[in-house]
Amino acid sequence: MPGRPFVASILAGPGLALALSGCGGGPAKVAPPVPTSAPAARACAALAAALPDVLDGHNARSTEPDSELTAAWADPAIVLRCGVATPPELRPTSELYTINDIDWLPVDTDRGWRFTTVGRIANVEVTVPNRYEPAVNPLVDLAAAIAATVPEAESAGS
């Protein structure tokens, strides 16, 4: 379909996740985003209430500043931010990963991976440090909460 990023599906399930544990002390410093609309902010609040206490075997930890737009697990922190801007790397030709019916734009960074949902009323960003492999494992644990609380955006032109 012209204008829509290429989607590569990844079948993921509980058997894919690695069981890692451990959590450092103190809150993770995470800059809260500014959602672009009231529906996006409501979706992010709903997502915050639905997030798992354990992500890929890692316990949740607090964030600083405290915000319902951010969450963290593990040390170094796997970080979620809800309501982020559309990533500049997203192009009509971008290859997306689909994990448990959620489309993600993967971006390889110096410190790990940054995954951002595509096609939802609020963009959800998850950063996964290099230490955690496979980097997509946390996305498996987040899929149900995102699907239940952050609806798909209506297609352009609607």
Side-chain angles (χ1 to χ4, degrees), residues 116-141:
T116 308
T117 59
V118 175
R120 304 251 155 207
I121 66 166
N123 295 324
V124 178
E125 173 190 274
V126 178
T127 55
V128 181
N130 282 326
R131 176 180 199 173
Y132 309 110
E133 291 293 333
V136 298
N137 280 358
L139 308 181
V140 174
D141 292 346

Side-chain angles (χ1 to χ4, degrees), residues 79 81 84-90 97 104-117 124-130 135 139:
V79 173
R81 298 184 334 129
V84 300
T86 299
E89 298 89 353
L90 182 63
Y97 293 167
W104 297 91
L105 173 70
V107 176
D108 191 1
T109 70
D110 291 342
R111 295 182 177 167
W113 287 89
R114 182 179 73 238
F115 300 96
T116 308
T117 59
V124 178
E125 173 190 274
V126 178
T127 55
V128 181
N130 282 326
L139 308 181

Side-chain angles (χ1 to χ4, degrees), residues 5-83:
F6 174 75
V7 177
S9 291
I10 296 176
L11 298 176
L16 178 65
L18 297 175
L20 301 173
S21 61
C23 183
K29 295 194 184 317
V30 181
V34 178
T36 57
S37 68
R42 284 191 298 272
C44 289
L47 176 60
L51 289 173
D53 292 330
V54 177
L55 183 72
D56 192 29
H58 303 283
N59 292 325
R61 59 190 284 196
S62 60
T63 59
E64 187 178 294
D66 185 32
S67 171
E68 66 182 6
L69 301 173
T70 63
W73 299 262
D75 186 18
I78 298 168
V79 173
L80 177 143
R81 298 184 334 129
C82 186

